[in-house]
Amino acid sequence: MMMNTQGALSMRALKTTTTTTKNTFTVGQKVPPTYYYKGGGGAERRGDAHATRAKTTRDFGVVDADDVDKKATTFTTFTTTQNVTHNVGWKIMQKKRGSMQKHEALMGRRPSVSAGATFMDSFSKFSAVFSNLFPLWTVLSAALALTKPAFFNFMTTPTITFCLALLMFSMGITLTVDDFLRVFKKPDVIGLGFLYCYGVMPALAFFIGNAIGLSGPLLAGLILVGSINGGQASNLCAYIAKGDVALSVLMTTATTIGCIFMTPLICKLALGAIVDVNAIGMAISTIKVVLVPVVLGVTLNKVTPKTCRTVEPFCPIVGVIMTVILVGGSVAQCADGILNAGVKLQIAAFMLHLLGGVLGYWGMKVFKYSETTCRTCAIETAMKSSAFGFLLASLHFPEFLVRVPSAVSVVWMAVMGSMMAVVWRFIPVEGE
């Protein structure tokens, strides 16, 4: 027995050999995926000159400037070490497995795939299709709210807060701290977005309302819509459109905080009305609805990134469902006013969000910003927090018709934003 065991051990040892070869590659040259290299960005970040890390590539990778040690910028080459282990037994197993797979292919059978991977692949496809139908779900929700407003009686203030917070959390787990650090380096973009929100949109509402000939209360309501902050649903649309979600979140946060003093000022100048916005209440709502869910999501992404990547296909579904429910709840609260408002108000609300998106896009394009930034700003400008406008109109304007434009805007804002998101989703951004 002892001899057999020793013989087996010696045979195993004889069958395993390790060879190490050093190879030098230049920038731009293809490198096989099995190579490891010393130095470079990975070792430099760890502060360990002798550290090694894998060169992760598919099939063949291409050496770029990032692969060269940043401390030795004058060098265009680095040395890689390839460890090759020859195991005869392992080779035999691999050979048998390859023969079995060829046999299955000849017999018309596909190699086995794990059930978990198959489910996630299928669910990711379902998530994409479901998100692409976002405009349809929005219209159906609005139609249900107009015909059966009692269906949305469950949409109380705490429920609305929960839906908004869950929407923001679903976006937060798709972001990292680096995303926000990158955006903080571009304060000019956030500043322009703030200008479009509180400069362009109120002026646009004023001119559209007067051009179409809206009555006084409806005109006041439309200007109020143009004077409020960006909507949280814009972050979801930026995600679906493959825009800059971190930028969208920061722009939404900036305009929401700015709403504390900008909305009352614009209403006073344009309408002659003093709209008393509760500054402390607005700040608390911003923290609860925007900042806390996003920070929680980013933190979770930092602590358990693999888990977040696993659940990421669920995020757009959650966001779409929350937005659709919010649209239905807002429309249901003044269904009669929307039905009796007439075609003029529908056209005015539609044009406000359409032209807002167009001006938001080209307003960034003229300053030579990237396509992704232009798309994000267009969505952020076009989409307003119409539900908040409805609340302000209800609290501070005695005329009922003033709140109707906000309810109409909820529908067109969501439809316009979701349509931009879906269209841009299928238009790739070149060079970004």
Side-chain angles (χ1 to χ4, degrees):
M1 282 294 292
M2 186 175 296
M3 290 181 60
N4 291 338
T5 304
Q6 291 178 347
L9 291 174
S10 63
M11 287 296 290
R12 187 179 299 175
L14 287 173
K15 291 178 182 178
T16 304
T17 59
T18 302
T19 59
T20 302
T21 57
K22 291 188 176 182
N23 303 273
T24 301
F25 298 91
T26 58
V27 175
Q29 186 175 351
K30 290 184 177 180
V31 183
T34 54
Y35 279 99
Y36 292 74
Y37 68 91
K38 294 184 178 182
E44 186 178 353
R45 281 194 295 271
R46 288 193 295 269
D48 181 5
H50 301 288
T52 61
R53 68 183 177 93
K55 170 69 179 177
T56 55
T57 56
R58 293 181 179 177
D59 297 331
F60 285 92
V62 178
V63 181
D64 55 28
D66 292 335
D67 294 323
V68 182
D69 194 338
K70 297 181 177 64
K71 293 181 179 178
T73 55
T74 57
F75 296 99
T76 57
T77 63
F78 63 90
T79 301
T80 62
T81 302
Q82 183 184 27
N83 296 315
V84 183
T85 300
H86 305 282
N87 190 302
V88 177
W90 177 253
K91 285 187 175 181
I92 293 174
M93 289 175 62
Q94 289 291 84
K95 193 171 183 179
K96 288 183 177 180
R97 183 177 296 175
S99 299
M100 291 176 63
Q101 289 178 348
K102 289 180 181 179
H103 177 70
E104 288 180 350
L106 291 173
M107 297 297 292
R109 289 182 292 179
R110 300 177 63 184
S112 60
V113 181
S114 66
T118 303
F119 170 77
M120 289 309 299
D121 289 342
S122 301
F123 189 83
S124 296
K125 293 178 181 179
F126 168 76
S127 177
V129 173
F130 186 86
S131 302
N132 293 340
L133 295 176
F134 188 13
L136 175 62
W137 307 138
T138 302
V139 171
L140 292 177
S141 177
L144 178 62
L146 289 173
T147 55
K148 302 288 184 180
F151 181 82
F152 291 93
N153 286 344
F154 67 94
M155 288 297 289
T156 59
T157 300
T159 306
I160 293 174
T161 301
F162 172 78
C163 290
L164 287 171
L166 187 57
L167 167 62
M168 296 307 297
F169 175 76
S170 68
M171 296 297 99
I173 64 174
T174 68
L175 300 171
T176 64
V177 176
D178 290 338
D179 291 329
F180 289 101
L181 293 177
R182 171 180 51 78
V183 174
F184 277 130
K185 296 177 181 179
K186 300 184 290 185
D188 51 329
V189 178
I190 299 176
L192 283 173
F194 192 92
L195 175 63
Y196 296 150
C197 178
Y198 291 116
V200 173
M201 289 299 282
L204 199 58
F206 179 83
F207 287 116
I208 291 175
N210 280 289
I212 291 181
L214 293 179
S215 62
L218 294 180
L219 176 61
L222 190 67
I223 294 175
L224 179 62
V225 170
S227 305
I228 55 180
N229 55 294
Q232 284 77 18
S234 62
N235 309 141
L236 170 65
C237 291
Y239 175 81
I240 294 175
K242 300 179 181 179
D244 193 333
V245 181
L247 174 61
S248 179
V249 169
L250 287 179
M251 291 176 74
T252 299
T253 304
T255 57
T256 301
I257 295 173
C259 180
I260 295 173
F261 54 89
M262 290 303 299
T263 299
L265 177 62
I266 294 171
C267 288
K268 176 63 178 176
L269 295 176
L271 304 177
I274 299 177
V275 177
D276 182 20
V277 178
N278 186 344
I280 297 177
M282 277 291 295
I284 293 174
S285 297
T286 302
I287 292 172
K288 289 194 302 184
V289 173
V290 179
L291 295 182
V292 171
V294 170
V295 170
L296 183 61
V298 172
T299 303
L300 193 64
N301 194 6
K302 177 73 174 177
V303 176
T304 59
K306 290 184 179 180
T307 303
C308 291
R309 295 293 73 74
T310 301
V311 302
E312 189 167 338
F314 293 87
C315 293
I317 295 179
V318 172
V320 168
I321 292 175
M322 293 302 103
T323 303
V324 167
I325 292 174
L326 288 166
V327 168
S330 301
V331 172
Q333 292 185 42
C334 56
D336 292 336
I338 294 175
L339 293 173
N340 297 327
V343 179
K344 283 186 176 181
L345 180 59
Q346 302 292 337
I347 295 175
F350 170 78
M351 292 301 296
L352 175 64
H353 296 292
L354 174 64
L355 294 179
V358 172
L359 293 176
Y361 179 87
W362 288 104
M364 287 294 185
K365 206 69 173 177
V366 295
F367 292 108
K368 309 293 184 182
Y369 286 105
S370 67
E371 176 67 16
T372 300
T373 300
C374 293
R375 294 181 181 186
T376 304
C377 187
I379 292 173
E380 193 68 28
T381 305
M383 302 187 72
K384 290 282 193 171
S385 184
S386 304
F388 179 64
F390 180 85
L391 177 62
L392 290 180
S394 302
L395 293 175
H396 304 291
F397 290 86
E399 179 65 50
F400 176 82
L401 288 178
V402 176
R403 68 187 72 172
V404 176
S406 293
V408 174
S409 170
V410 168
V411 181
W412 287 116
M413 175 270 300
V415 170
M416 192 61 57
S418 59
M419 287 184 66
M420 285 192 292
V422 171
V423 170
W424 275 329
R425 184 183 182 90
F426 292 100
I427 302 177
V429 179
E430 296 182 1
E432 294 187 31

